Amino acid sequence: MTDDVLSVRAAELYYEESKTQDEIGTLLGLTRWKVGRLLSRARELGIVRIEIVHPRARRLPLERELRERFGLRDAIVVPTPNDGTGLTQRVAEAAADYLRALRPVPRSLGVSWGRTLDDIAIHLPDGWARGVDVVQINGGVSLNRRAGSAATTAVAIARSGGGEATLLPSPAILERRETRLAIEADRTIAGVLELAAAASVYLFSAGPADGTSVLVDSGYLSHGDVEELVRRGAVGDVVGRYIDANGNIVDPELDDRTVGISLDQLRAAGLSIAVVAGPAKHDVARAVVGSSLCTVLVTDEDTARAVLDTNSPASRQFNRQKREAS
Amino acid sequence: MTDDVLSVRAAELYYEESKTQDEIGTLLGLTRWKVGRLLSRARELGIVRIEIVHPRARRLPLERELRERFGLRDAIVVPTPNDGTGLTQRVAEAAADYLRALRPVPRSLGVSWGRTLDDIAIHLPDGWARGVDVVQINGGVSLNRRAGSAATTAVAIARSGGGEATLLPSPAILERRETRLAIEADRTIAGVLELAAAASVYLFSAGPADGTSVLVDSGYLSHGDVEELVRRGAVGDVVGRYIDANGNIVDPELDDRTVGISLDQLRAAGLSIAVVAGPAKHDVARAVVGSSLCTVLVTDEDTARAVLDTNSPASRQFNRQKREAS
DNA sequence: CGGTTCGCTGCTCATGTGAGCATTGCGGCC
DNA sequence: GGCCGCAATGCTCACATGAGCAGCGAACCG
């Protein structure tokens, strides 16, 4: 009888029949230490597979690897559902959980807006915290089709967190640089931006560099604009600013017309939580984490693996080209 | 935080991060006993799923249930491969293992013949036992196309088991009852049958009641014959004798022309090992076990479940009718 | 042929863990 | 409002388990 088969027998008796290692030893004619060793071996070799099946499960080994490899303060990885349904909900739920358990409770929370942030807001129960003031960190109120979504997100988070919401009453992207300078000079806007810059915690998502982006959906950019950005290396946007795989601004001119805190301000933050999930966002996720735009990442398992998979930078190229082709 | 989610967190920290229950307690703000309880709960609820993945794995809980429900002396259940490939090999291997580990070592072993027995013979290594004499328990030498397969099986087992083989030099089924009586009266044959009746252990398989049976393959029966048997309730054959779902002889006239030990002799045996696996044999397996034709069953997981599934006797009907229809 | 090294075995001991029991807290019921 | 019953909690204690170590044997090399 080979050691392998013995491992299997021991594992069966231990895990399925709940026998003690000593009993198994007698049964198989081995010492209980040998049995213990066989069991360890069985787990190492993957003969015994322990799986945690639950929508709220997490992937701690991946989280640890992300923390270590990228010096993240924290990482939250939820399992990717087999058929992909409900992925955004699960990630949003995890983000809400994280925010809720965050200590010390943030005094002021800077938030971006978008579908992901909406979902997070929904999953934050009333009274999840007390006295959390929320401030919008990038523009985008007026043009959004689903009226006021950007505003309602921030307001909802502030309300359930027992604080005040401060909105940034400005478009996300203006047509001329001068307009941006002008609007930022306005006392109201300037005040909000100051507040945003002083937030103790940032919570934001990232959009993919394709037609499904909220910036396209909201009318700030055309499909053609996005295609051009992709051609120039864009992998996605963070607080309305398009970045390439290295986390650099793709189009300085466009960036100069974008209202909100800068990427460097985000990088300088003590605690910035990025919530990025889904197959379309693998590339942005990699860029965000790789260029230190966040200190905490909330994501799904597949995206986490994609981020960690530095061995295949080719895949990035491949994905980009595929998207260009379509 | 609900108890469910706590269970998940605890399970992750325990099984994936190998933390102690005490550490987890501190981490989640619970006592270590609470953590222990959460972990038990998690396993009961199936949140934690422990699986043993190995071709040689067994299904001990099913084995236990089979033993208890049917008063079997033993049951060996191997996992059914997802795509069904190699199933017969695995079961044969398990049967060989069982035979090899059998104590006391049988002095004389009565065997039937067929594809399954062939496979078992292949998996018995040289010297698996010493002094095991083998005797054929049902006829079938001459007509088999793959020349002498019935004979070689018995001889191979005897050789590797360090004993003598005694063959039953007779067809499995004769054309007339009188011929059977005559051949059984022959001293050679009678002697073998006596030996067969006195065997300390029987090892046999069962065939499905369809065209793929070895009895058809070997030319003893025509497709038409089998169809007729099925119409009369046959679910398969054991040592050449067709039985219905209750383990009764379907066609007494046919049975009367069949050479070999009787089913009652099999039932009276101290130790009789049936090796029956595969989707086509679910019904025979149920009949064999249900009518105490064996004291030990070696099979695959799916067949075991089918045997245990007494809640749906309808499925038997359904399967039979489906087969009749085709 | 002897010495050395390496890997496996069985052991001691400290630690981790589960069964069983007393205690607490909560909700229903008079 | 007070009492009862039940479930959840925290605890004691005995047992199960893994880490670390000494002993042994085999293989390898000089």
Side-chain angles (χ1 to χ4, degrees):
Chain A
M1 185 97 92
T2 162
D3 247 28
D4 236 39
V5 177
L6 280 176
S7 291
V8 173
R9 296 284 159 271
E12 286 163 347
L13 292 164
Y14 191 71
Y15 292 108
E16 293 183 348
E17 302 288 280
S18 343
K19 299 211 180 294
T20 104
Q21 299 187 0
D22 210 358
E23 285 176 296
I24 299 170
T26 316
L27 225 51
L28 299 179
L30 305 165
T31 62
R32 69 192 185 78
W33 298 283
K34 176 75 179 168
V35 174
R37 283 186 246 265
L38 285 173
L39 287 172
S40 318
R41 224 180 63 95
R43 254 188 297 181
E44 275 168 31
L45 295 180
I47 291 175
V48 170
R49 198 171 295 166
I50 300 179
E51 197 185 357
I52 295 162
V53 214
H54 196 282
R56 300 285 291 265
R58 300 242 303 264
R59 287 292 117 98
L60 304 190
L62 280 172
E63 297 182 356
R64 185 147 37 92
E65 204 178 340
L66 281 170
R67 280 198 304 273
E68 286 168 8
R69 280 267 293 281
F70 296 100
L72 293 177
R73 180 154 156 178
D74 222 327
I76 312 293
V77 179
V78 305
T80 311
N82 290 329
D83 54 358
T85 54
L87 186 148
T88 49
Q89 294 309 310
R90 289 197 190 177
V91 175
E93 195 168 27
D97 281 350
Y98 186 77
L99 211 56
R100 196 136 75 99
L102 197 60
R103 292 297 116 88
V105 174
R107 303 214 38 222
S108 65
L109 178 68
V111 302
S112 72
W113 56 272
R115 288 182 281 261
T116 307
L117 267 286
D118 272 357
D119 287 336
I120 296 172
I122 288 166
H123 285 287
L124 281 170
D126 275 352
W128 65 272
R130 310 236 269 156
V132 176
D133 291 329
V134 176
V135 55
Q136 249 181 280
I137 58 178
N138 61 332
V141 179
S142 53
L143 276 178
N144 194 357
R145 278 185 208 142
R146 287 159 303 158
S149 153
T152 48
T153 302
V155 170
I157 296 175
R159 162 178 285 263
S160 57
E164 300 282 317
T166 307
L167 304 178
L168 182 59
S170 155
I173 301 172
L174 297 164
E175 289 181 347
R176 300 192 310 126
R177 175 184 131 92
E178 288 69 27
T179 320
R180 195 212 96 212
L181 290 173
I183 205 172
E184 284 193 2
D186 184 277
R187 268 202 57 213
T188 321
I189 303 287
V192 176
L193 285 175
E194 261 170 49
L195 222 53
S200 54
V201 174
Y202 293 108
L203 176 70
F204 64 100
S205 184
D210 61 28
T212 69
S213 160
V214 238
L215 288 167
V216 174
D217 204 36
S218 308
Y220 286 116
L221 294 174
S222 72
H223 284 276
D225 294 336
V226 175
E227 276 166 33
E228 171 61 18
L229 284 165
V230 168
R231 215 165 295 130
R232 293 170 65 176
V235 294
D237 81 281
V238 175
V239 290
R241 303 175 190 278
Y242 277 87
I243 57 175
D244 63 18
N246 298 316
N248 296 320
I249 294 297
V250 171
D251 181 345
E253 191 275 328
L254 170 65
D255 197 64
D256 221 18
R257 296 190 277 115
T258 308
V259 179
I261 64 169
S262 71
L263 296 189
D264 286 335
Q265 280 178 301
L266 212 48
R267 287 202 179 91
L271 184 59
S272 50
I273 306 165
V275 185
V276 187
K281 296 190 176 178
H282 288 184
D283 290 343
V284 220
R286 202 179 347 237
V288 166
V289 173
S291 68
S292 305
L293 276 165
C294 68
T295 60
V296 175
L297 175 69
V298 182
T299 190
D300 68 299
E301 186 173 355
D302 284 357
T303 307
R305 285 192 207 287
V307 168
L308 285 167
D309 190 7
T310 45
N311 292 334
S312 69
S315 76
R316 248 179 304 184
Q317 283 295 325
F318 175 74
N319 286 332
R320 211 181 66 195
Q321 280 163 10
K322 209 170 54 177
R323 216 170 306 126
E324 275 170 8
S326 68
Chain B
M1 184 99 92
T2 161
D3 247 28
D4 237 40
V5 176
L6 279 176
S7 290
V8 173
R9 296 284 158 271
E12 286 162 347
L13 293 164
Y14 192 72
Y15 292 108
E16 293 183 348
E17 302 289 280
S18 337
K19 300 214 180 294
T20 97
Q21 299 187 1
D22 210 359
E23 286 177 294
I24 298 170
T26 316
L27 225 52
L28 300 180
L30 306 165
T31 62
R32 70 191 183 78
W33 297 283
K34 176 75 180 170
V35 174
R37 282 186 246 264
L38 285 172
L39 287 172
S40 317
R41 224 180 63 96
R43 256 187 297 181
E44 274 168 32
L45 295 180
I47 292 174
V48 170
R49 198 171 293 167
I50 299 179
E51 197 185 357
I52 295 163
V53 213
H54 195 282
R56 299 285 290 268
R58 299 242 304 264
R59 287 292 118 97
L60 303 190
L62 280 173
E63 296 182 357
R64 186 148 36 93
E65 204 178 341
L66 282 169
R67 280 198 304 272
E68 286 169 8
R69 282 266 293 280
F70 296 100
L72 293 177
R73 180 155 156 179
D74 222 328
I76 312 293
V77 179
V78 304
T80 311
N82 291 329
D83 54 357
T85 53
L87 185 148
T88 50
Q89 294 308 310
R90 290 198 190 175
V91 174
E93 195 168 26
D97 280 351
Y98 185 78
L99 212 56
R100 197 136 76 98
L102 197 60
R103 292 296 116 87
V105 174
R107 303 214 39 223
S108 64
L109 178 66
V111 302
S112 72
W113 56 273
R115 289 181 282 261
T116 307
L117 266 287
D118 272 357
D119 288 336
I120 296 172
I122 287 166
H123 285 286
L124 280 169
D126 275 351
W128 64 271
R130 309 236 271 155
V132 176
D133 291 328
V134 176
V135 55
Q136 251 180 277
I137 57 178
N138 61 332
V141 179
S142 54
L143 276 178
N144 194 358
R145 277 186 208 141
R146 287 159 302 158
S149 153
T152 50
T153 302
V155 171
I157 295 175
R159 162 178 285 263
S160 57
E164 301 281 316
T166 308
L167 304 178
L168 181 59
S170 154
I173 302 173
L174 296 164
E175 289 182 345
R176 301 193 309 128
R177 175 184 133 90
E178 288 69 29
T179 320
R180 195 211 96 213
L181 290 172
I183 205 172
E184 284 193 0
D186 184 277
R187 268 203 56 214
T188 322
I189 303 287
V192 176
L193 286 175
E194 261 171 48
L195 221 54
S200 54
V201 174
Y202 292 106
L203 175 69
F204 65 100
S205 184
D210 60 30
T212 69
S213 160
V214 238
L215 288 167
V216 174
D217 203 36
S218 309
Y220 286 116
L221 294 174
S222 71
H223 284 276
D225 294 336
V226 176
E227 275 166 34
E228 171 61 20
L229 285 165
V230 168
R231 213 164 296 130
R232 294 170 64 176
V235 294
D237 81 280
V238 175
V239 291
R241 302 176 190 278
Y242 277 86
I243 57 174
D244 64 18
N246 298 317
N248 296 320
I249 293 297
V250 171
D251 181 346
E253 191 276 328
L254 170 65
D255 197 63
D256 221 16
R257 296 190 279 112
T258 308
V259 179
I261 64 170
S262 71
L263 296 188
D264 285 336
Q265 281 178 300
L266 213 47
R267 288 203 178 90
L271 184 59
S272 51
I273 306 165
V275 185
V276 187
K281 297 189 177 179
H282 288 185
D283 290 342
V284 220
R286 203 179 346 237
V288 166
V289 173
S291 68
S292 304
L293 276 165
C294 68
T295 60
V296 175
L297 175 68
V298 182
T299 191
D300 68 298
E301 186 172 355
D302 284 356
T303 308
R305 287 192 205 286
V307 168
L308 286 166
D309 190 6
T310 46
N311 293 335
S312 69
S315 77
R316 247 179 306 184
Q317 283 295 325
F318 175 73
N319 286 333
R320 211 181 66 194
Q321 280 164 10
K322 208 171 52 177
R323 214 168 308 124
E324 274 169 9
S326 70

